Amino acid sequence: MNFKKYLLIFLFIILSTKNFGQEKPEFNCGNGFEIIETEIESQKTVSFRIITSQKIYTKESFEFSEGIVLISDLNENLNSNEIVKTVATIGVKKKLSKIIAFKTCKAVEIYFKKAKSTKEETDYLNKNIIIELKLDINKSLSRKEKKKNKKKRDFIESIGIEICEVLSKNETEKFSSEKLSNAMVPKLSENVEKMMKVYDLSFEESSDLFMKDLTLYLIDNCKIVNKFTYKQE
């Protein structure tokens, strides 16, 4: 598959699934739980599963995400501070700067339900949501990690600004994923060596992450791309 065709397919997927917390993802609540140490005396470990997560653009980096978390064995007797500490531990490990944690799979399904929830469903959801938590993940990073994240963010931002300028010159023309691809491909080709150095990964891995980060930047910061993305919902 050539690079442009791959990028078009990728753009179609990411642009059609950008809206966070609105559509039910494909997941299996029964498998894939991880165990993490909590540092809480009354519950030394907790089992959790990341149901879905999505990278977000911040002033520091693209490394942070917002996610839906299912915790299957949380001790009902934990106080609010212990719950915050437990969920924050998961957030730091998984680099989640915004977390919505649930007790049951059914509650997650109601949260993602497209149709309006019944009173019974709303009551169930309220009883089975554990916490909504925002974290400053940047504080938990080392100086080296912060520097690497800033370098990556600055790289994405500089290229994103150039691409947005190109797209905005012909704003009256009909916009499409192919048009976005045509603007992105030359910039990707021009910056392959720098991209691999910034991400410190193989070409395949760094190019995949680079495209995701660049697309998210454009969605959040380029008016014409943002407008097109949310028209797709």
Side-chain angles (χ1 to χ4, degrees):
M1 183 184 294
N2 65 49
F3 192 67
K4 183 178 176 182
K5 186 175 180 182
Y6 171 79
L7 180 54
L8 274 170
I9 293 172
F10 168 78
L11 288 173
F12 174 79
I13 293 170
I14 196 168
L15 291 174
S16 63
T17 58
K18 164 66 178 150
N19 199 23
F20 173 75
Q22 296 299 315
E23 294 187 13
K24 180 181 174 182
E26 295 297 324
F27 61 85
N28 183 341
C29 286
N31 298 317
F33 281 86
E34 297 181 55
I35 295 176
I36 191 171
E37 293 184 5
T38 65
E39 299 182 4
I40 302 296
E41 190 62 33
S42 56
Q43 184 169 7
K44 295 187 179 296
T45 63
V46 69
S47 302
F48 73 96
R49 176 177 170 79
I50 306 296
I51 299 298
T52 184
S53 66
Q54 179 175 300
K55 279 188 176 183
I56 55 175
Y57 178 85
T58 72
K59 291 182 179 180
E60 292 81 21
S61 80
F62 290 92
E63 294 303 301
F64 311 144
S65 302
E66 49 187 17
I68 303 296
V69 180
L70 178 63
I71 302 178
S72 64
D73 57 353
L74 193 68
N75 187 333
E76 294 290 337
N77 295 319
L78 295 183
N79 61 43
S80 57
N81 288 335
E82 290 172 326
I83 291 173
V84 168
K85 192 171 183 179
T86 298
V87 177
T89 301
I90 296 171
V92 171
K93 180 181 180 181
K94 294 296 182 177
K95 293 183 178 178
L96 296 173
S97 60
K98 179 182 177 183
I99 306 170
I100 305 178
F102 294 96
K103 298 177 184 178
T104 69
C105 190
K106 182 180 176 181
V108 177
E109 290 176 347
I110 294 172
Y111 177 79
F112 281 108
K113 183 181 175 183
K114 289 184 178 180
K116 186 177 180 180
S117 299
T118 64
K119 183 180 184 304
E120 290 74 17
E121 288 175 329
T122 301
D123 290 344
Y124 182 88
L125 185 65
N126 290 334
K127 288 178 182 177
N128 287 280
I129 186 170
I130 298 170
I131 194 172
E132 291 189 40
L133 189 64
K134 289 185 178 181
L135 300 171
D136 185 356
I137 301 298
N138 203 51
K139 286 184 177 180
S140 69
L141 301 180
S142 66
R143 186 176 179 181
K144 183 179 180 180
E145 287 174 314
K146 290 178 183 177
K147 187 176 180 180
K148 184 178 179 181
N149 283 348
K150 187 178 185 305
K151 188 176 181 182
K152 188 184 299 180
R153 181 192 182 281
D154 291 347
F155 174 58
I156 294 293
E157 187 171 51
S158 64
I159 295 175
I161 289 171
E162 291 179 20
I163 291 174
C164 189
E165 287 175 353
V166 170
L167 295 171
S168 299
K169 285 179 182 177
N170 302 306
E171 195 169 350
T172 56
E173 296 179 10
K174 186 176 180 180
F175 193 82
S176 65
S177 295
E178 185 168 8
K179 187 176 180 181
L180 179 55
S181 173
N182 289 338
M184 290 175 71
V185 168
K187 291 300 177 184
L188 295 174
S189 301
E190 290 169 17
N191 292 277
V192 169
E193 289 187 12
K194 187 173 183 180
M195 174 188 73
M196 292 176 67
K197 186 176 181 180
V198 168
Y199 282 86
D200 194 23
L201 295 168
S202 67
F203 171 76
E204 290 78 11
E205 292 175 303
S206 58
S207 59
D208 184 58
L209 289 171
F210 175 69
M211 284 189 291
K212 289 178 182 176
D213 291 342
L214 182 57
T215 304
L216 289 175
Y217 171 83
L218 290 169
I219 289 171
D220 288 341
N221 297 276
C222 185
K223 182 180 176 181
I224 191 168
V225 181
N226 180 278
K227 188 176 179 181
F228 173 75
T229 301
Y230 288 103
K231 271 188 176 181
Q232 306 309 301
E233 296 172 11

